[in-house]
Amino acid sequence: MMMDFAPFILSFKLASLTTLILFMLALPFAWWLSQSTSKAKPVLEAITALPIVLPPSVLGFYILVVLSPHSALGGFFESLFGVKLVFSFTGLVVASCFYSLPFMVQPLQNGFESLNRHMLEASYLAGKSKLQTIWHVALPNMKPALITALIITFAHTVGEFGVVLMVGGSIPNETKVASVAIYEMVEVLAYDQAHIYSAIMVAMSFVVLLLVYIFNHTQKKIGIV
């Protein structure tokens, strides 16, 4: 039996792009949430956390509606750039950014909130801008939160199923990620192949979580957190 690694490669590609995009978008947003006293903060936190509690089918349906060619956003991208946002890899990236957003924002926000405020104030007094303070002072002093955000976002995106199936379908080498491939194997009763693919996913998830916990415990022992 030949193993088809294309779904895994596609899953890793999707997870890598999603993690990179979310890091760039979530970093300033998480910083603002950690520093803000705005009355709108709880509302924004609740909206950000919605993908955690919403059924993937519900979230996937609304993302599908928003990205469809008949919507303002989907129609705009298709008419101006010729880019289809549904049943395409581009659409999967957009959908994954929505779905994995809280897994990037929340650890970063917690990390920023755990920092010593006097350290941040000292950076400002030294003439550092907010961007310089975030990059050169905050991030180096919250490595466990940073690593957790990156790794958990990556792993969570690799394991997506409901959202990617609804938005991307199952197009080989385009939208057929590992989780969708497993689902299709079960549908045709190919349990032996499904076992192999599932075992790889379980092993990968365990290793990812183990690395996060080992890193965080190591940082605690050396007194970083």
Side-chain angles (χ1 to χ4, degrees):
M1 180 179 61
M2 291 290 293
M3 276 284 294
D4 180 13
F5 289 101
F8 288 102
I9 295 173
L10 192 63
S11 292
F12 295 149
K13 179 183 176 182
L14 175 63
S16 299
L17 282 173
T18 300
T19 302
L20 178 61
I21 293 170
L22 278 181
F23 177 70
M24 293 187 294
L25 295 177
L27 187 64
F29 181 56
W31 171 261
W32 181 86
L33 287 176
S34 70
Q35 306 298 306
S36 175
T37 56
S38 170
K39 292 182 179 179
K41 178 179 174 179
V43 177
L44 292 174
E45 288 177 322
I47 293 173
T48 302
L50 271 177
I52 297 176
V53 297
L54 277 178
S57 56
V58 174
L59 185 63
F61 170 73
Y62 282 112
I63 293 176
L64 182 62
V65 170
V66 171
L67 301 184
S68 74
H70 304 294
S71 70
L73 181 63
F76 172 78
F77 272 89
E78 188 163 352
S79 62
L80 195 63
F81 303 108
V83 176
K84 293 182 65 175
L85 295 181
V86 293
F87 304 114
S88 68
F89 183 77
T90 302
L92 285 191
V93 173
V94 175
S96 296
C97 286
F98 280 109
Y99 188 50
S100 295
L101 179 63
F103 297 91
M104 180 67 77
V105 171
Q106 291 184 355
L108 290 178
Q109 181 184 349
N110 293 335
F112 285 136
E113 290 175 346
S114 68
L115 294 173
N116 188 322
R117 300 193 71 85
H118 296 298
M119 177 176 60
L120 301 178
E121 291 169 0
S123 176
Y124 294 141
L125 289 173
K128 302 291 185 182
S129 65
K130 283 187 178 181
L131 181 60
Q132 290 174 319
T133 299
I134 293 172
W135 198 257
H136 296 293
V137 178
L139 290 181
N141 286 282
M142 49 175 275
K143 289 180 182 178
L146 176 61
I147 297 300
T148 298
L150 294 173
I151 294 180
I152 295 300
T153 299
F154 181 90
H156 182 259
T157 305
V158 169
E160 288 181 45
F161 172 68
V163 171
V164 296
L165 182 62
M166 293 197 71
V167 176
S170 178
I171 305 172
N173 300 314
E174 179 74 16
T175 64
K176 186 178 178 179
V177 296
S179 57
V180 174
I182 293 170
Y183 172 75
E184 291 185 344
M185 290 171 191
V186 173
E187 275 196 318
V188 297
L189 305 181
Y191 293 130
D192 290 341
Q193 285 182 292
H195 273 305
I196 295 173
Y197 276 60
S198 298
I200 293 174
M201 296 290 283
V202 170
M204 188 203 71
S205 300
F206 175 76
V207 169
V208 165
L209 291 174
L210 182 63
L211 290 175
V212 170
Y213 283 115
I214 289 175
F215 180 83
N216 286 345
H217 285 305
T218 302
Q219 295 299 299
K220 289 178 181 178
K221 285 182 180 178
I222 63 178
I224 290 183
V225 293

